[in-house]
Amino acid sequence: MEFIKMHGTGNDFIFLLDLDDKYIGQESNLAKKLCHRRFGIGADGIVLVRKSAVADVKMVIVNSDGSGANMCGNAIRCFGKYVFENNIIDKEIITVETGDGVKELELKIDSEGKVETVKVYMGEISFDGSLIPLKNKEKLIDEDIVVNGKNYRASSILVGVPHTVIFVDDENYDVTEGKYIEKYELFEKGTNVNFVKVIDNENILVRTWERGAGATYSCGTGCSASVVICNKLNLTKDKVNVRVPGGQLRIELEGTSIYMIGDAEFICSGKAY
């Protein structure tokens, strides 16, 4: 099969064109095989490009462990660049069907006809414990939880997928602690975990442990969730620069809506056997 590998601030994905649905039913096994960093191509997940009956095009995301993901901010920026520069969609404003509904992308095109940045409507936010979902809890905002005998001050939110935000003082915090928090009994379907250091009211640092992928260089929904929580706790304004190990994103809040702005890059293309 032919593939293209891309990354959004270091969060990398293998793209497969699947307009004729030939990979339906194989997604999980393909992801586990292709994403292995020793015996495969290596990536945080695969993205399949499919036809949509409700939008311009459909995006299907599968994590490296074979589990599905409704939405991924870095993947959808790469997706926008992919479909535009590969002449699948010839528009600067694109609608994309995802597991979290239809998302709108606004592409900024440079003088050479290449996608410079992508602005993504990330959707509505929810603190509802039944949607995250939390076990027997209406919400989790700035509360203590104890995992593996260690205390964490945590807040949880749904931004297409569940995210938990924990504030830290050290930007080199051991993000692998997220693997225990991810599977903590309070989170009925697991959670992504974001360790956040606030620099000032317009700048934060975020390191993310992703459910199904582990520690990643960037997580778009995680950055979005982190800014929402920071803003709710009056730690930042509603327009924030977010630095991650793989680069920087811009998150803007408008009421209950979230917008993410960032770039996306091609890495390579080839054939997988």
Side-chain angles (χ1 to χ4, degrees):
M1 65 179 67
E2 294 184 349
F3 72 90
I4 287 179
K5 185 174 178 180
M6 302 182 69
H7 82 88
T9 51
N11 200 186
D12 57 346
F13 306 94
I14 298 163
F15 276 74
L16 303 175
L17 190 61
D18 195 29
L19 298 178
D20 55 1
D21 293 337
K22 63 182 176 181
Y23 299 128
I24 282 185
Q26 305 177 55
E27 297 93 341
S28 181
N29 288 334
L30 279 173
K32 287 186 279 189
K33 180 178 180 179
L34 295 176
C35 293
H36 198 290
R37 296 193 183 273
R38 294 292 181 270
F39 301 106
I41 300 165
D44 293 322
I46 66 171
V47 177
L48 297 107
V49 183
R50 288 178 171 156
K51 293 179 180 178
S52 171
V54 297
D56 293 323
V57 66
K58 181 178 181 178
M59 177 179 74
V60 176
I61 311 166
V62 187
N63 294 317
S64 59
D65 68 349
S67 63
N70 287 335
M71 172 60 183
C72 173
N74 289 320
I76 202 169
R77 289 201 323 280
C78 293
F79 189 90
K81 184 178 179 73
Y82 178 99
V83 297
F84 184 85
E85 295 190 13
N86 283 281
N87 302 311
I88 297 168
I89 302 293
D90 186 22
K91 297 194 298 184
E92 295 182 20
I93 295 180
I94 300 172
T95 56
V96 180
E97 179 185 354
T98 74
D100 186 44
V102 175
K103 307 297 181 186
E104 185 176 276
L105 310 184
E106 183 179 334
L107 311 181
K108 182 180 179 182
I109 312 300
D110 67 18
S111 59
E112 297 181 352
K114 301 297 183 181
V115 176
E116 188 174 303
T117 60
V118 181
K119 182 176 182 179
V120 185
Y121 168 62
M122 297 293 287
E124 301 293 310
I125 60 178
S126 177
F127 299 97
D128 188 335
S130 67
L131 299 177
I132 293 173
L134 302 175
K135 185 177 182 180
N136 300 322
K137 195 169 181 62
E138 292 184 358
K139 63 180 179 179
L140 179 69
I141 302 295
D142 199 29
E143 293 186 34
D144 289 328
I145 61 173
V146 179
V147 183
N148 263 12
K150 185 170 182 177
N151 186 80
Y152 300 92
R153 195 73 176 175
S155 301
S156 291
I157 185 176
L158 186 74
V159 187
V161 290
H163 277 278
T164 297
V165 172
I166 294 170
F167 293 101
V168 298
D169 295 323
D170 182 3
E171 65 179 279
N172 296 313
Y173 191 89
D174 184 8
V175 71
T176 62
E177 289 188 18
K179 65 184 176 182
Y180 304 111
I181 302 169
E182 172 196 351
K183 299 184 182 300
Y184 180 53
E185 61 183 3
L186 175 63
F187 308 111
E188 293 186 339
K189 294 184 179 179
T191 185
N192 299 280
V193 187
N194 306 279
F195 298 96
V196 179
K197 177 178 173 59
V198 177
I199 304 301
D200 55 42
N201 62 13
E202 294 182 341
N203 297 276
I204 65 174
L205 306 177
V206 177
R207 299 184 68 202
T208 302
W209 176 271
E210 288 196 50
R211 180 184 63 171
T216 59
Y217 278 80
S218 175
C219 176
T221 53
C223 291
S224 300
S226 298
V227 171
V228 170
I229 294 298
C230 285
N231 184 258
K232 185 174 182 62
L233 299 179
N234 297 314
L235 299 174
T236 62
K237 297 180 179 180
D238 54 9
K239 295 182 180 179
V240 178
N241 300 310
V242 183
R243 199 174 85 200
V244 295
Q248 182 168 292
L249 295 171
R250 175 81 167 174
I251 305 297
E252 299 182 353
L253 308 181
E254 294 182 15
T256 58
S257 298
I258 310 170
Y259 294 88
M260 177 187 61
I261 304 167
D263 61 6
E265 300 291 340
F266 288 106
I267 299 172
C268 64
S269 62
K271 292 183 179 181
Y273 296 92

